[in-house]
Amino acid sequence: LYEEFSQYDISKAQVREAVNVAYEEFDLFKEDIRAEAQKIIRFAKEHNYHIICLAGRPYHLDPEINHGIPELLTKYDFAVLTEDSISHLGDLETPIRVVNQWAYHSRLYRAADYIKVDPCIDMIQLNSFGCGLDAVTTDQVEEILKSSNRIYTCFKIDEGSNLGAIRIRVRSLKAALENRDYKDSKIGEKKPYSFPKVVFTQQMRKDYTILAPQMSPIHFDLVQHVFRHHGYNLEVLPSNDRKAIDWGLKYVNN
């Protein structure tokens, strides 16, 4: 990398200094976002506005992708926050049911943990382009919120810019929240959502069968032999047929 800069007469020390300054500026940016969120929360609570954490991937900041949903929410008297502005306040119970190995997913889960105990904030998750990983996040976020009897809402948005269906769901959510505020005394009850993992023991290695989906007929046949060579009883399920594909198209988020 440093060799690429040599033609511009830039030294290693200068590159390192620039990177360090960039990280410092990034930390300041995060602090600004979090401070602004606290201002919005205070203002909303003082003026009796309900708050929506509009959780999305970084590309959802693009108006061409979010289709103006943040502005739509403000028209219905919601204050709007992003998940990265409050995620640092969450205290995620671990282990959770899914593998938590991506920065965005981790922010999302921590934000949900914070929201579940604050009756003034609810979450809407944006989901676009059939991102396969979000099939995992939507289930886990819903699980965290429902552990405290909270409403979980997910908007699946793609290329279409017609917000008619979204408006209906926003109005329905607003009515449900107003009804909940008056009638639901269970809001804020804390139930554990951690999911203790089962430890795979040597005895299980001997007696248990691991079922693997058939995702690549050539490669997974080889994978089965590799696992068995190392002492695991792995069984690759039969090849996909038309019925399996139909079920996938019906229920899988893609």
Side-chain angles (χ1 to χ4, degrees), residues 171-232:
R171 290 199 299 266
S172 298
L173 175 62
K174 186 175 179 65
L177 293 174
E178 291 172 351
N179 185 62
R180 180 198 71 182
D181 291 341
Y182 286 107
K183 295 185 178 180
D184 197 339
S185 60
K186 296 182 180 179
I187 296 300
E189 285 188 3
K190 295 181 181 180
K191 300 175 185 176
Y193 58 81
S194 59
F195 195 87
K197 307 294 183 180
V198 176
V199 178
F200 195 85
T201 64
Q202 287 294 332
Q203 187 65 31
M204 293 170 69
R205 181 174 177 174
K206 175 184 176 183
D207 299 334
Y208 280 58
T209 298
I210 302 172
L211 298 179
Q214 177 57 275
M215 294 188 288
S216 175
I218 296 176
H219 299 89
F220 268 59
D221 287 344
L222 297 175
V223 167
Q224 178 172 277
H225 290 293
V226 171
F227 270 76
R228 288 181 176 178
H229 176 74
H230 289 279
Y232 295 95

Side-chain angles (χ1 to χ4, degrees), residues 76-90:
Y76 284 91
D77 295 330
F78 287 116
V80 180
L81 302 172
T82 56
E83 90 288 334
D84 59 335
S85 68
I86 58 173
S87 61
H88 64 292
L89 301 173

Side-chain angles (χ1 to χ4, degrees), residues 98-198:
V98 302
V99 177
N100 184 17
Q101 63 185 37
W102 291 279
Y104 162 70
H105 295 186
S106 184
R107 292 199 308 269
L108 192 60
Y109 303 147
R110 292 199 307 270
D113 179 85
Y114 174 69
I115 289 168
K116 75 185 183 71
V117 295
D118 190 334
C120 295
I121 309 177
D122 280 271
M123 177 179 283
I124 294 175
Q125 184 176 356
L126 298 180
N127 187 5
S128 295
F129 311 128
C131 181
L133 293 176
D134 279 343
V136 175
T137 65
T138 51
D139 286 349
Q140 183 61 69
V141 170
E142 182 177 16
E143 198 169 289
I144 293 172
L145 293 175
K146 286 193 172 181
S147 71
S148 191
N149 301 294
R150 305 304 297 273
I151 296 173
Y152 170 73
T153 304
C154 179
F155 289 166
K156 294 185 178 182
I157 54 174
D158 289 298
E159 291 84 357
S161 58
N162 189 332
L163 292 181
I166 297 294
R167 286 193 181 92
I168 293 173
R169 293 198 63 193
V170 170
R171 290 199 299 266
S172 298
L173 175 62
K174 186 175 179 65
L177 293 174
E178 291 172 351
N179 185 62
R180 180 198 71 182
D181 291 341
Y182 286 107
K183 295 185 178 180
D184 197 339
S185 60
K186 296 182 180 179
I187 296 300
E189 285 188 3
K190 295 181 181 180
K191 300 175 185 176
Y193 58 81
S194 59
F195 195 87
K197 307 294 183 180
V198 176

